[in-house]
Amino acid sequence: MRARRVGLGFEGGPTRRALPAMMASIVLLTGLAVAALAGADAAIARWQYDLRARLAVEVGAPSAEGADTVVAAALDVLRGSPGVVAAREIAGAEVRALLEPWLGEASEIASLPLPRLIDVELDPGGADAAVLAARLQERVPGARLDDHGRWLDALSRLALAARLLAGGALTLTAIAAVLVIVLTTHAGLAARRDTIEILRLLGAPDRLVARLFQRQILVMSAIGAAGGFALAVAVLLVLYDYLAPLAATYGLPAALPRSMWLALPAVPILAAAAAALACRVTVRRLLGRMP
Amino acid sequence: MTVCHRGTWRWGAEWQRCRGVVRFEGVGMRYGAGPEILRDITVRFEPGSFHFLTGPSGAGKTSLLKLMYLAERASAGTIHLFDRDVGTMSRDERAAVRRQIGVIFRDFRLLDHLTAFDNVVLPLRIFGENEERARTFGSELLRWVGLAEDLDTRPPALSDGQKQRVAIARAVITRPRLLLADEPTGNVDAKQGIRLTHLFQELNRIGTTVVLATHDEAWIERTGHPVLRLNAGRLVPPPAQAEA
Ligand SMILES: Nc1ncnc2c1ncn2[C@@H]1O[C@H](COP(=O)(O)OP(=O)(O)OP(=O)(O)O)[C@@H](O)[C@H]1O
Ligand SMILES: [Mg+2]
């Protein structure tokens, strides 16, 4: 109450314009870095899930009758294994349809000796593809399980790299953000050193002086942070609009990841809090030098 | 904190504790690591007293006032304000002591981005004084120092004499127990000077202890208040005789 009526501070000063603008750009950039990290994470997690949740078992057999027995045995083993949700044979027509884009006209494919395929749906949490492969190998020779091992390896490396990259970018943005916030606040207050000293000489206690400036810094940075946040959300929505048609093709998540929506609002809040904290520390330090 | 009225120090049971609004004992002062610019200052200002502080330029008048309004620390000796050793006070306690002291700074120290009115009522707002009372007091005082027309003017648009009057109004608006003034009439014309002298006398009459630093020997002569003379950081004549 008291602080507001004292009616002091950054009126007309450069800080009044610089701080909100600076906060807005920092929140925008950090917000986008957060979104990139969350988005990359979600896309990769989705790909990994898809790969882990579906396996194919290929049965190559010399004769059609032999193949029937092997397929039946393999289905038996698969259905009796832990973590397997469903296993079914893919009909010949389906296999042809799958191969068609790669091999050409259906009439020609018809004459090829096609492998028999079993589609296995797994519970990604409860199944171990390697164990399943070994078990199949042992009980049903002639059935080969493709566990996407190489894909998953590559994807894990990609995931790690993407996380490091986005995490690194986010860390750097955050460090830059904090530095800029601290320096802008500091500069704004240093320019007001005289005001602080006069308030002190008129008998204002430290906490009143600190509160006075902290409130203003908080209001200014909150305005900037809110603007930056709105801008970040707008950019993300537009970007998502562009990406949506491609999502299905590339197995991207169908919605902006929840982790992002949780992390994004934290950015402006943390940024404004950092400004207020920097203000508090700076004012206290300036006051500390006055007897 | 013991309240020292005019007279309690003399008659009351509080005599031992109420020995002055300001009490310096062997006080020395230096700026940073520089030389000692005040040396062995022992002086006491009793409640309700009125003192002039004079001496050549560079003698240490402003520095002595700074010690009294707690803008600097003594490098030797002890300072008591309102019967409390300032060296043992917390920061908040020193702020509370400052609120009982009105200071007219040589360089005014007004806030340029506030209007004359807002500058004058600033101490009341810091006190958390009722806003309506602040408004009444503020405009009344500004009218009294002849600035009724300039309530909404900011200091950069005021003359030095006008700024000085704003600074004086700000210093007295809280009816401080101790008023310290550094050349308070240096920038105003003779008529205004007399008016301001009356203001200080009036405040002194209602109990404010006043210490005025000035070069104006004629003013000192006219009022007949006791004088402290500083020379090169020391009191002359010796402190015992300088006391009123
Ligand atoms: N901020 C400072 N830093 C270092 N030395 C200072 C500072 N202020 C004053 N001094 C020195 O302290 C001494 C006393 O200065 P002070 O301002 O107290 O004198 P004064 O009696 O008020 O002079 P004047 O009549 O000119 O105002 C001078 O030698 C001056 O150089
Ligand atoms: Mg001086």
Side-chain angles (χ1 to χ4, degrees), chain A residues 7-228:
Chain A
L8 279 176
F10 297 99
E11 290 87 354
T15 312
R16 196 181 171 79
R17 287 184 302 274
L19 191 62
M22 186 261 324
M23 283 303 268
S25 13
I26 275 180
V27 168
L28 174 60
L29 290 177
T30 316
L32 292 181
V34 165
L37 179 56
D41 241 28
I44 287 162
R46 169 75 186 262
W47 290 336
Q48 278 174 331
Y49 182 92
D50 284 355
L51 285 177
R52 286 217 188 89
R54 285 222 116 74
L55 296 178
V57 172
E58 192 186 323
V59 177
S63 66
E65 304 86 63
D68 278 345
T69 339
V70 177
V71 166
L75 281 172
D76 258 10
V77 170
L78 287 168
R79 284 173 183 151
S81 298
V84 174
V85 178
R88 72 173 182 98
E89 191 187 354
I90 302 173
E94 263 183 84
V95 177
R96 272 189 206 96
L98 281 172
L99 290 176
E100 203 181 74
W102 308 96
L103 299 180
E105 278 302 298
S107 56
E108 288 162 39
I109 300 168
S111 58
L112 288 172
L114 288 176
R116 307 267 299 261
L117 293 176
I118 300 170
D119 177 36
V120 187
E121 197 179 316
L122 293 177
D123 166 12
D128 183 335
V131 172
L132 199 59
R135 198 171 155 140
L136 206 60
Q137 190 90 70
E138 183 190 272
R139 304 209 188 154
V140 193
R144 200 177 59 75
L145 180 132
D146 176 7
D147 65 356
H148 309 306
R150 275 190 305 157
W151 281 105
L152 278 169
D153 274 359
L155 209 54
S156 300
R157 282 197 298 277
L158 177 65
L160 187 65
R163 276 200 193 110
L164 285 177
L165 213 67
L170 184 57
T171 310
L172 287 180
T173 318
I175 290 173
V178 169
L179 280 179
V180 171
I181 290 169
V182 169
L183 292 177
T184 311
T185 312
H186 191 86
L189 288 171
R192 289 274 173 255
R193 191 185 187 288
D194 232 35
T195 304
I196 293 176
E197 194 172 7
I198 291 169
L199 286 172
R200 178 96 189 119
L201 290 175
L202 294 180
D206 289 357
R207 62 180 178 285
L208 175 64
V209 181
R211 186 147 38 93
L212 202 70
F213 285 95
Q214 205 174 315
R215 177 199 300 260
Q216 286 189 56
I217 293 266
L218 196 61
V219 168
M220 283 189 292
S221 45
I223 291 170

Side-chain angles (χ1 to χ4, degrees), chain A residues 222-284:
Chain A
I223 291 170
F229 179 69
L231 221 59
V233 169
V235 167
L236 287 173
L237 289 178
V238 168
L239 215 61
Y240 177 68
D241 225 36
Y242 288 150
L243 281 178
L246 307 174
T249 317
Y250 293 101
L252 291 171
L256 288 169
R258 178 177 309 202
S259 62
M260 189 202 80
W261 288 122
L262 290 178
L264 210 55
V267 174
I269 292 170
L270 289 178
L277 191 68
C279 168
R280 189 186 189 78
V281 171
T282 310
V283 172
R284 291 272 169 172

Side-chain angles (χ1 to χ4, degrees), chain B residues 56-129:
Chain B
S57 178
K61 301 181 292 297
T62 300
S63 306
L64 190 64
L65 292 179
K66 280 185 187 166
L67 286 176
M68 289 191 226
Y69 60 75
L70 304 178
E72 295 289 343
R73 281 176 185 281
S75 54
T78 54
I79 298 176
H80 284 74
L81 288 176
F82 310 113
D83 294 309
R84 294 207 40 205
D85 183 349
V86 300
T88 63
M89 286 183 191
S90 68
R91 289 182 68 79
D92 278 349
E93 285 170 330
R94 284 204 297 276
V97 165
R98 283 191 189 99
R99 291 199 290 275
Q100 311 198 42
I101 304 176
V103 187
I104 302 161
F105 304 95
R106 165 78 149 268
D107 52 352
F108 320 130
R109 315 215 70 171
L110 300 174
L111 294 175
D112 284 349
H113 61 281
L114 295 185
T115 62
F117 175 81
D118 283 333
N119 265 290
V120 168
V121 297
L122 188 55
L124 291 183
R125 288 179 172 162
I126 288 172
F127 278 38
E129 176 63 85

